[in-house]
Amino acid sequence: MKFNFTDLLTDHVSQERLARLISALAEIGKSDGDGVNRQALTPQDVAARKFLAEVAAGCGCEVYRDEAANVFFRRAGTTDGPPVVTGSHIDSQPTGGKFDGAYGVCAGLEMMAALNDAGVVTELPLEVAIWTNEEGCRFAPGSMGSAAFVQPELLSTFRESADSTGLRFGEALDDAANALQFIPLLPLNRPFSAFVEAHIEQGPVLEREGKTLGVVSGIQGVRWFRISVRGQTSHAGTTPREFRKDAVLVATELVQQAYAAANESDADLRLTVGRFEVSPGATNTIADGVTFTIDLRHPSDDVLDDFEARFRSWTRRQSACSISLEELMRHKPTPFSEKVRATVAEAAEQCGEPWRELLSGAFHDSMYLAEHCPTGMLFIPSKDGLSHHPAELSAPDELAWGAKALTLAMYRLANPSLDVAGQ
Amino acid sequence: MKFNFTDLLTDHVSQERLARLISALAEIGKSDGDGVNRQALTPQDVAARKFLAEVAAGCGCEVYRDEAANVFFRRAGTTDGPPVVTGSHIDSQPTGGKFDGAYGVCAGLEMMAALNDAGVVTELPLEVAIWTNEEGCRFAPGSMGSAAFVQPELLSTFRESADSTGLRFGEALDDAANALQFIPLLPLNRPFSAFVEAHIEQGPVLEREGKTLGVVSGIQGVRWFRISVRGQTSHAGTTPREFRKDAVLVATELVQQAYAAANESDADLRLTVGRFEVSPGATNTIADGVTFTIDLRHPSDDVLDDFEARFRSWTRRQSACSISLEELMRHKPTPFSEKVRATVAEAAEQCGEPWRELLSGAFHDSMYLAEHCPTGMLFIPSKDGLSHHPAELSAPDELAWGAKALTLAMYRLANPSLDVAGQ
């Protein structure tokens, strides 16, 4: 049989109910205008978990949590096999919007409600996960919840990470556990049959090409570097050119060289210098220090290796200043499971909406889940490619199409006997 | 006669007494190690004025102040003509040293003491001035005291300038006036016969060339600009190259272009980009804003005009970002009085130490005094060209040679009958 339930399932996904849930969630931590400031493990984040747990319980789900404050809503299957899991995160950037992360959790809950309304039970249990601290803006690094779920030995290190007030992640976790103690605990790293994350694209590709759905083939590799240039302060007016050790002169030359090389490299190479800090930072003082960052991304480790080697060689050349380079982060490209990609693609096709395959330029919790079980992602368009911004927006029908495709894909993955039946 | 008193005068300048005074003054506002933090009109600055007033009174000087909290120590002449004035400032940068400004005041007081010891009286009165807020780091702009002395109408605007705590310069002036009310007031803009300022070079030229003394021919012209580049934030990972409006990319290109053009320009053109601020300043966010400053200096207005016109044309060209340019400050080159230059040069020659003529790259109170009366400056070497730094240093014998040359030049200027006598 060929997804006999397609219309039954998609007809029960409600655009209005989904929009209401997203709006209600956005009230918790609401900031200026349409913005959301709901950073990880703040009172707002904990309150949002309680609110969603009530919604899930109203859908007949069991609610669980783990030691990383990840929360799970489970809808029982006809068997007790490892669950098929969807979800995302509900923490936001300080100046975030309503959709980044929150959409994936709300779409999962809409799936639960649609399956209830359709009277459909799956073979394997279904779960919606809320992963803790994906954004990493309050406690670095990001994606602590999904990373600790997959590699529980990371948790003790994460617990030491402090926010800007000095409060440690471990203390915030303990406070959250206290507030959520009514929810039973499950172990970290328990088996999943598959994981599918719905998310806004956070880029302009789907909108530009008029696609409603994006089937994500993987997450590109990323490397972060911090480059420090050390010169010597001296007076802007009194120091002849040949005596200057001007860190701004040397650092801007490196930045321009990197941009020029990226521009001549593969079109998918993405280079960003997002921080550039000058000391002492006075108009009439030659700077003795610049620290800048490089964010480098590409789907191929070979391309990244090549660019990194060239850039490192430039930092070693003769200069009036000393230059040092420190690697801050490195993630290999993450290809997603072929089976999950194919299932999500088939669900998109069944929706009858235009879709394309694309790579994720951003990190997601799926980067860690891919080490744990067959994993994939589904994108919907972001207006103007905006995210981490109060104006981030996906249209109501796009939100609903994403939930429909998600429901179809999750249904398929949670019914392994459909494969045996030759589909 | 040809400075008959040369040896008499220089023999009475005491290297030890001068060093003791500089050290004692540096105790007021002393910071880490050898540093001084004595910002304008702080309690430390006011305490330093009281201390120096006691020293001056001990030398038999009358003490005066004016409405800009400038303080003057007067040694009577045989006539009551307009005084010949020396001096500088005693306020410092937050991380300043012992010599910038303070040296000129201390050298002036050493001159007073040496003339007393030599039993010499000049025709015109001599004064040592302490000019208020030369540094401009607490209240902008700098050189308020000398500027207001020369153009009293500026004072009401200066009074509105606020420090980082919101306290206005006018309130700080009133507090200082209260603390110094025992000192009689003199009017702003009263006539001077001449002004000579002794100062550390704050640059490397004298030390590099083994010169003990520098006769300053003028102050180079300076222009400050603030350039703002506006792009659009977007995600470093998800935004393809052709969609980017990266303010760092555009700003670093402008900075590099400016440095390259300066390098090909006249060797005396000095270009400094000392501030470069990025918003929002996150590693994985394309920057929507960069603001950077340009400090441009040269002895010729024509060279400055030419460079400015070229730079302005670059800010108007097509770009992914919008670029705006704002002029923050403009000072024409200040040539010093031929007569004062010749007098200071003769004094340097009489000292028998190696000297050269040079331009001042930095501003000084003399820039304003030059509009008021025949003005000149005398430099002594700065070790490694350092200033605005706890390690700024001039050797004890250099400090003394500067005070000797200053004493000879002031003596000459305060005895106009020596000119009539055909010298």
Side-chain angles (χ1 to χ4, degrees):
Chain A
M1 66 181 213
K2 213 176 184 19
F3 271 70
N4 290 339
F5 295 138
T6 299
D7 290 347
L8 178 70
L9 293 176
T10 57
D11 287 354
H12 282 92
V13 169
S14 162
Q15 180 173 316
E16 291 69 31
R17 182 172 51 198
L18 174 58
R20 277 199 306 275
L21 181 60
I22 292 171
S23 290
L25 177 56
E27 291 295 316
I28 307 173
K30 181 170 182 160
S31 64
D32 306 346
D34 277 340
V36 172
N37 179 0
R38 193 171 55 227
Q39 295 180 65
L41 297 187
T42 54
Q44 292 77 21
D45 186 26
V46 173
R49 280 155 206 260
K50 288 185 180 171
F51 164 69
L52 292 171
E54 286 172 23
V55 173
C59 291
C61 292
E62 294 158 7
V63 179
Y64 298 98
R65 64 185 169 98
D66 66 20
E67 276 184 84
N70 300 315
V71 174
F72 305 93
F73 308 133
R74 179 186 295 178
R75 185 175 189 266
T78 56
T79 74
D80 204 25
V84 176
V85 184
T86 185
S88 188
H89 61 96
I90 61 168
D91 66 310
S92 81
Q93 293 278 331
T95 60
K98 296 178 184 175
F99 301 100
D100 177 3
Y103 171 63
V105 172
C106 293
L109 283 168
E110 178 54 33
M111 169 193 76
M112 298 294 201
L115 293 175
N116 287 347
D117 291 355
V120 167
V121 180
T122 52
E123 295 167 25
L124 293 169
L126 293 172
E127 289 188 21
V128 176
I130 300 174
W131 301 112
T132 298
N133 186 31
E134 193 270 351
E135 295 291 358
C137 47
R138 182 179 177 202
F139 299 105
S143 299
M144 280 184 184
S146 52
F149 180 86
V150 174
Q151 296 181 65
E153 67 276 15
L154 294 174
L155 193 55
S156 60
T157 307
F158 290 164
R159 289 181 62 93
E160 298 307 313
S161 174
D163 69 10
S164 61
T165 72
L167 186 98
R168 288 178 307 119
F169 181 69
E171 300 171 72
L173 264 189
D174 294 343
D175 288 347
N178 212 37
L180 302 173
Q181 60 182 320
F182 63 94
I183 301 176
L185 272 172
L186 287 178
L188 298 168
N189 201 31
R190 65 196 164 89
F192 287 176
S193 292
F195 180 72
V196 183
E197 181 172 11
H199 206 281
I200 61 171
E201 182 196 340
Q202 303 183 269
V205 174
L206 295 176
E207 181 187 44
R208 174 180 57 174
E209 298 189 2
K211 309 292 192 195
T212 309
L213 297 167
V215 176
V216 185
S217 56
I219 298 179
Q220 62 188 343
V222 58
R223 301 179 187 185
W224 283 7
F225 303 100
R226 177 162 53 213
I227 296 90
S228 297
V229 178
R230 293 286 153 245
Q232 187 175 298
T233 56
S234 49
H235 193 295
T238 61
T239 312
R241 213 177 281 159
E242 65 271 24
F243 281 76
R244 293 181 174 226
K245 298 178 178 178
D246 182 341
V248 170
L249 170 61
V250 171
T252 53
E253 186 182 354
L254 273 173
V255 169
Q256 277 292 303
Q257 192 163 15
Y259 275 123
N263 213 31
E264 290 159 14
S265 174
D266 186 286
D268 286 333
L269 187 78
R270 290 176 185 163
L271 173 83
T272 304
V273 176
R275 301 177 69 160
F276 189 102
E277 286 153 9
V278 179
S279 73
T283 305
N284 60 347
T285 301
I286 295 164
D288 66 349
V290 170
T291 300
F292 68 90
T293 55
I294 280 186
D295 176 306
L296 188 67
R297 308 198 191 206
H298 193 272
S300 150
D301 252 347
D302 289 345
V303 174
L304 294 169
D305 284 345
D306 178 60
F307 190 92
E308 179 181 336
R310 292 171 67 196
F311 187 80
R312 282 184 184 269
S313 76
W314 301 331
T315 65
R316 286 189 293 262
R317 73 176 159 220
Q318 200 63 30
S319 152
C321 299
S322 66
I323 305 170
S324 62
L325 182 148
E326 181 188 357
E327 179 180 304
L328 297 179
M329 188 174 67
R330 174 180 296 248
H331 283 293
K332 291 179 72 66
T334 304
F336 285 147
S337 144
E338 276 302 329
K339 181 188 171 188
V340 176
R341 284 162 67 171
T343 305
V344 174
E346 189 175 359
E349 188 64 31
Q350 287 175 308
C351 285
E353 286 291 306
W355 64 275
R356 63 163 279 175
E357 197 165 86
L358 79 178
L359 268 168
S360 172
F363 310 148
H364 294 286
D365 292 305
S366 292
M367 189 162 67
Y368 293 97
L369 271 302
E371 300 170 22
H372 184 64
C373 64
T375 291
M377 292 187 77
L378 173 69
F379 278 172
I380 60 168
S382 294
K383 183 163 162 47
D384 298 329
L386 268 186
S387 73
H388 295 180
H389 194 284
E392 74 182 16
L393 189 68
S394 301
D397 65 316
E398 293 165 349
L399 297 164
W401 280 118
K404 288 173 186 175
L406 178 69
T407 301
L408 292 174
M410 292 288 288
Y411 176 81
R412 176 75 190 212
L413 292 167
N415 286 288
S417 67
L418 293 175
D419 292 331
V420 178
Q423 297 308 315
Chain B
M1 67 181 214
K2 214 176 187 11
F3 273 69
N4 292 338
F5 295 138
T6 299
D7 290 346
L8 177 72
L9 293 176
T10 57
D11 286 354
H12 282 91
V13 169
S14 161
Q15 179 173 317
E16 291 68 32
R17 182 171 52 196
L18 174 58
R20 277 199 307 275
L21 181 60
I22 292 171
S23 291
L25 178 55
E27 290 295 316
I28 307 174
K30 181 171 182 160
S31 64
D32 306 346
D34 277 339
V36 172
N37 179 0
R38 192 171 57 227
Q39 295 180 65
L41 298 187
T42 54
Q44 291 77 20
D45 186 26
V46 173
R49 279 155 209 261
K50 288 185 182 171
F51 164 70
L52 293 171
E54 285 173 23
V55 172
C59 291
C61 292
E62 293 157 10
V63 179
Y64 298 98
R65 63 186 170 99
D66 65 21
E67 277 184 83
N70 300 315
V71 174
F72 305 92
F73 307 132
R74 180 187 296 177
R75 184 173 191 269
T78 56
T79 76
D80 203 25
V84 175
V85 185
T86 185
S88 187
H89 61 96
I90 61 168
D91 64 311
S92 80
Q93 293 278 331
T95 58
K98 295 178 183 174
F99 301 100
D100 177 3
Y103 171 63
V105 173
C106 293
L109 283 169
E110 177 55 32
M111 168 194 77
M112 298 293 201
L115 293 174
N116 288 346
D117 290 354
V120 168
V121 180
T122 52
E123 295 168 24
L124 293 169
L126 292 172
E127 290 189 19
V128 176
I130 299 174
W131 302 111
T132 299
N133 186 31
E134 194 268 350
E135 294 290 357
C137 48
R138 182 179 177 202
F139 300 104
S143 298
M144 280 185 184
S146 51
F149 180 86
V150 174
Q151 297 181 63
E153 67 277 15
L154 294 174
L155 192 56
S156 59
T157 308
F158 290 164
R159 289 182 62 92
E160 298 307 312
S161 174
D163 70 10
S164 62
T165 73
L167 186 98
R168 290 178 307 118
F169 181 68
E171 300 171 72
L173 264 189
D174 294 343
D175 287 349
N178 212 36
L180 302 173
Q181 61 183 318
F182 63 93
I183 301 176
L185 271 172
L186 287 179
L188 298 169
N189 202 31
R190 65 196 163 86
F192 286 177
S193 292
F195 181 72
V196 183
E197 182 173 9
H199 207 281
I200 60 170
E201 181 195 341
Q202 304 183 268
V205 174
L206 295 177
E207 181 187 43
R208 174 182 55 175
E209 299 188 2
K211 308 292 191 193
T212 308
L213 297 167
V215 176
V216 185
S217 56
I219 298 180
Q220 62 187 344
V222 59
R223 301 180 186 185
W224 284 6
F225 303 99
R226 177 162 52 213
I227 295 91
S228 297
V229 178
R230 293 286 153 247
Q232 187 176 299
T233 56
S234 49
H235 193 295
T238 62
T239 312
R241 214 177 282 160
E242 65 272 25
F243 281 75
R244 295 180 173 225
K245 297 178 179 176
D246 182 341
V248 170
L249 171 60
V250 171
T252 52
E253 187 183 354
L254 272 172
V255 169
Q256 276 293 304
Q257 191 163 15
Y259 275 122
N263 212 32
E264 290 159 13
S265 176
D266 186 285
D268 286 333
L269 187 78
R270 289 175 186 166
L271 174 83
T272 304
V273 176
R275 302 177 67 161
F276 188 103
E277 287 154 8
V278 180
S279 73
T283 305
N284 60 347
T285 301
I286 295 164
D288 67 347
V290 170
T291 300
F292 68 90
T293 55
I294 280 187
D295 176 307
L296 188 68
R297 309 200 191 204
H298 193 271
S300 153
D301 251 347
D302 290 343
V303 173
L304 293 169
D305 284 345
D306 177 61
F307 191 92
E308 179 181 337
R310 292 171 68 196
F311 188 80
R312 281 184 184 268
S313 75
W314 301 331
T315 66
R316 285 190 294 261
R317 72 176 160 220
Q318 201 62 31
S319 152
C321 299
S322 66
I323 305 171
S324 62
L325 181 148
E326 181 188 357
E327 179 179 304
L328 298 179
M329 186 175 68
R330 174 180 296 248
H331 283 292
K332 292 178 72 66
T334 303
F336 285 146
S337 146
E338 276 303 329
K339 182 187 170 189
V340 176
R341 284 163 68 172
T343 305
V344 174
E346 189 174 358
E349 187 63 31
Q350 289 176 307
C351 284
E353 285 292 306
W355 63 276
R356 62 163 279 175
E357 197 167 86
L358 80 176
L359 267 167
S360 172
F363 311 148
H364 294 287
D365 293 306
S366 293
M367 190 162 66
Y368 292 97
L369 271 302
E371 301 169 23
H372 183 64
C373 65
T375 292
M377 291 188 76
L378 172 70
F379 279 172
I380 59 167
S382 295
K383 184 165 162 47
D384 298 328
L386 268 185
S387 72
H388 296 180
H389 194 286
E392 73 182 18
L393 188 67
S394 300
D397 64 316
E398 294 165 348
L399 295 164
W401 280 118
K404 289 174 186 175
L406 177 70
T407 302
L408 292 174
M410 292 288 288
Y411 176 82
R412 174 76 189 213
L413 291 166
N415 286 289
S417 68
L418 294 175
D419 294 330
V420 177
Q423 298 308 315

